[in-house]
């Protein structure tokens, strides 16, 4: 159900100290109090969350009944003096050659829990896009958690580089993404809400052509929606057939967490799963990371290390096995570490997709939960949270 919001909701830019502090407190409430996220720059005395990037950032927000209900941060990038992490994560030096003064990084995109199924996130993102075009920005970058990739692709962002881990953020491996603001043809092709805004400006197709020539993503990175026919998402039947072929059998039989479910149930659950590749040696999930998704191994091998098991060999997961169940079972952060032992293909299944089964398919949810309770992580979870 889409949350009902009183319209119109105005997107504002924080211009006063009071507005900015209200945003910092809102972030703290969501990240620290609600999500139980441990961040080194959280100020527990003031109960706010801010870091060095806030000093020069444009802070967008939406207020509702006198409180911040959504916010987004944007930093215009100085390529001569930008954080090394940004330079590495987004390959900024390559973009600086054609758009040195037209780059930005978006982050801290936070929506109040009661509005996460509403149009508020899109409203905020569109306002930020409009502001970027007014300021002459041509490329906007962000780091996405795996289960949010589809949402950002719908907005018009694209994956284009290998995954990146920000050591200052307890959110695990992230996917670098970029929105080419003037590539109106691409925005239209994916149904981006930015496309209508883009019609207000005279645009140049050169940025889109340059980007397509510079960055050729592997097939596993193919967007959910895309422009050329050869890069379009596979039809559901073809996608299901490929999945069966990769797994060596029907997913409801070969994926351990889906055993006991019908094919229809398995199809419904995996409909919104996104295929993602991780290189060998990469840490996919670190102990304490915020999860938000279940991870299913399609191919390759993943090693799971748990607390107190340094003297024992890790659990080795292969095709059809999953990890990250602790987020769904107990609403907690990762209790162990997951490392790709080889190049790994993952199906990333957002927790909210699974949770939607609760009202419509309660038996499916109970079967799924019973299967997940057999995963190694369940040994480390509070007993009171594990009953169906």
């Amino acid at each position: 159900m889409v949350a009902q919001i009183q319209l119109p909701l105005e997107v504002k830019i924080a211009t006063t100290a009071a507005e900015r502090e209200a945003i910092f407190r809102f972030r703290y409430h969501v990240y620290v109090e609600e999500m139980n996220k441990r961040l080194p720059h959280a100020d527990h005395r003031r109960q706010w969350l801010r870091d060095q990037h806030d000093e020069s950032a444009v802070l967008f927000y939406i207020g509702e009944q006198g409180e911040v209900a959504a916010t987004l941060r944007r930093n215009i990038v100085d390529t001569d003096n930008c954080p090394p992490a940004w330079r590495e994560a987004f390959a900024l030096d390559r973009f600086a050659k054609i758009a040195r003064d037209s780059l930005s990084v978006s982050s801290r995109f936070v929506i109040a829990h009661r509005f996460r199924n509403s149009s508020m996130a899109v409203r905020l993102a569109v306002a930020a896009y409009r502001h970027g075009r007014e300021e002459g920005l041509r490329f906007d970058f962000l780091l996405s958690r795996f289960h949010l990739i589809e949402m950002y692709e719908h907005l018009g962002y694209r994956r284009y580089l290998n995954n990146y881990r920000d050591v200052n953020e307890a959110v695990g491996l992230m996917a670098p993404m970029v929105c080419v603001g003037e590539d109106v043809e691409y925005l239209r092709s994916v149904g981006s809400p930015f496309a209508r805004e883009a019609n207000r400006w005279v645009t140049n197709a050169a940025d889109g052509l340059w980007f397509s020539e510079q960055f050729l993503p592997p097939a596993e990175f193919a967007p959910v929606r895309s422009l050329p026919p050869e890069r379009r998402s596979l039809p559901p039947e073809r996608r299901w057939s490929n999945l069966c072929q990769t797994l060596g059998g029907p997913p409801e039989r070969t994926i351990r967490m889906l055993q006991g479910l019908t094919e229809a149930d398995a199809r419904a659950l995996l409909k919104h799963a996104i295929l993602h590749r991780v290189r060998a040696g990469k840490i996919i999930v670190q102990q304490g990371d915020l999860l938000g998704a279940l991870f299913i191994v399609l191919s390759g091998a993943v090693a799971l290390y748990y607390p107190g098991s340094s003297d024992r060999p890790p659990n080795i997961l292969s095709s059809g096995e999953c990890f990250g169940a602790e987020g769904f079972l107990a609403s907690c952060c990762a209790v162990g570490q997951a490392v790709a032992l080889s190049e790994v293909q993952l199906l990333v299944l957002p927790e909210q997709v699974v949770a939607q089964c609760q009202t419509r398919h309660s038996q499916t949810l109970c079967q799924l939960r019973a299967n997940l309770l057999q995963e190694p992580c369940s040994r480390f979870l509070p007993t009171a949270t594990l009953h169906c």
Side-chain angles (χ1 to χ4, degrees):
M1 295 292 293
V2 174
Q4 297 298 312
I5 349 178
Q6 202 168 17
L7 298 177
L9 286 173
E10 183 182 1
V11 179
K12 299 180 180 179
I13 293 177
T15 57
T16 68
E19 288 175 303
R20 296 174 75 87
E21 289 172 9
I23 290 171
F24 302 153
R25 287 193 296 271
F26 172 66
R27 288 183 193 163
Y28 184 93
H29 169 71
V30 174
Y31 281 113
V32 179
E33 296 178 338
E34 181 184 312
M35 296 183 174
N36 197 29
K37 189 173 173 183
R38 299 177 183 177
L39 295 174
H41 37 264
D43 188 328
H44 300 294
R45 183 177 63 83
R46 291 191 177 102
Q47 292 192 317
W48 72 21
L49 182 60
R50 67 183 295 272
D51 59 42
Q52 70 275 16
H53 301 312
D54 286 308
E55 296 177 9
S56 60
V58 178
L59 301 183
F60 301 91
Y61 76 97
I62 295 175
E64 199 267 338
Q65 295 184 352
E67 300 289 336
V68 176
T71 183
L72 169 67
R73 177 173 72 184
R74 176 161 292 167
N75 290 86
I76 297 176
V77 176
D78 176 0
T79 52
D80 293 325
N81 187 30
C82 72
W86 288 357
R87 189 181 299 276
E88 177 187 357
F90 303 121
L92 291 183
D93 289 340
R94 296 172 67 176
F95 289 88
K97 294 176 182 178
I98 69 161
R100 173 173 294 275
D101 300 318
S102 307
L103 310 177
S104 61
V105 173
S106 291
S107 57
R108 298 293 188 225
F109 193 6
V110 190
I111 310 295
H113 186 271
R114 65 189 183 280
F115 294 122
R116 284 181 199 156
N117 291 323
S118 75
S119 61
M120 188 176 285
V122 171
R123 191 177 293 267
L124 183 59
V126 168
Y129 173 83
R130 183 188 308 126
H131 179 268
R133 294 302 304 270
E134 290 170 350
E135 295 297 313
L137 301 176
R138 292 158 58 188
F139 297 93
D140 183 56
F141 305 88
L142 58 80
L143 288 170
S144 173
R145 295 169 65 198
F146 288 176
H147 69 283
L148 296 176
I149 287 172
E150 184 174 0
M151 180 195 77
Y152 286 121
E153 285 186 345
H154 172 63
L155 289 176
Y157 288 81
R158 293 179 252 188
R159 288 175 286 170
Y160 66 106
L161 293 174
N162 289 313
N163 302 313
Y164 179 79
R165 170 177 287 275
D166 187 341
V167 296
N168 296 313
E169 296 286 345
V171 290
L173 210 55
M174 306 276 276
M177 303 184 75
V178 62
C179 177
V180 185
E182 294 196 20
D183 193 351
V184 182
E185 187 177 8
Y186 179 83
L187 295 176
R188 289 176 184 150
S189 75
V190 299
S192 168
F194 298 164
R196 181 176 295 181
E197 286 294 321
N199 292 331
R200 299 173 54 189
W201 285 272
V202 175
T203 54
N204 187 337
D207 283 353
L209 294 173
W210 175 87
F211 178 83
S212 298
E213 292 171 356
Q214 288 288 314
F215 300 97
L216 300 174
E220 292 85 350
F221 284 19
V224 175
R225 307 165 179 83
S226 56
L227 174 61
E230 65 273 15
R231 291 178 58 198
R232 288 179 187 159
S233 296
L234 292 174
E237 286 303 321
R238 176 73 180 280
R239 188 171 186 259
W240 186 258
S241 176
N242 286 357
L243 194 56
C244 292
Q245 185 176 1
T246 301
L247 291 165
E252 69 273 17
R253 298 180 188 173
T254 52
I255 296 177
R256 191 165 65 186
M257 62 174 272
L258 300 182
Q259 291 177 0
L261 274 61
T262 65
E263 179 182 325
D265 289 336
R267 283 177 178 263
L269 279 171
L270 298 183
K271 179 180 179 180
H272 296 287
I274 189 164
L275 183 64
H276 201 76
R277 187 185 67 170
V278 177
R279 289 181 296 166
K282 285 291 185 179
I283 298 174
I284 306 168
V285 170
Q286 184 75 274
Q287 185 179 357
D289 281 353
L290 198 63
L291 289 165
L294 293 167
F295 300 86
I296 303 167
V297 180
L298 286 186
S299 64
V302 174
L304 290 183
Y305 300 88
Y306 287 104
S309 61
S310 57
D311 57 338
R312 299 197 305 271
N315 295 95
I316 306 299
L317 304 185
S318 57
S319 179
E321 298 182 290
C322 81
F323 59 96
E326 52 266 49
F328 175 71
L329 290 172
S331 300
C332 67
C333 296
V335 298
Q337 181 188 69
V339 181
L341 296 180
S342 61
E343 183 169 294
V344 173
Q345 285 192 90
L346 296 173
L347 267 185
V348 183
L349 182 62
E351 287 175 5
Q352 63 263 33
V353 172
V354 182
Q356 287 170 1
C357 294
Q358 187 160 358
T359 54
R360 291 177 293 176
H361 306 284
S362 57
Q363 290 183 336
T364 297
L365 185 68
C366 281
Q367 180 63 60
L368 183 65
R369 189 178 180 87
N371 291 343
L372 292 174
L373 285 171
Q374 305 306 311
E375 298 300 321
C377 69
S378 64
R379 302 196 308 268
F380 303 92
L381 301 181
T383 305
T385 67
L386 302 182
H387 301 294
C388 183

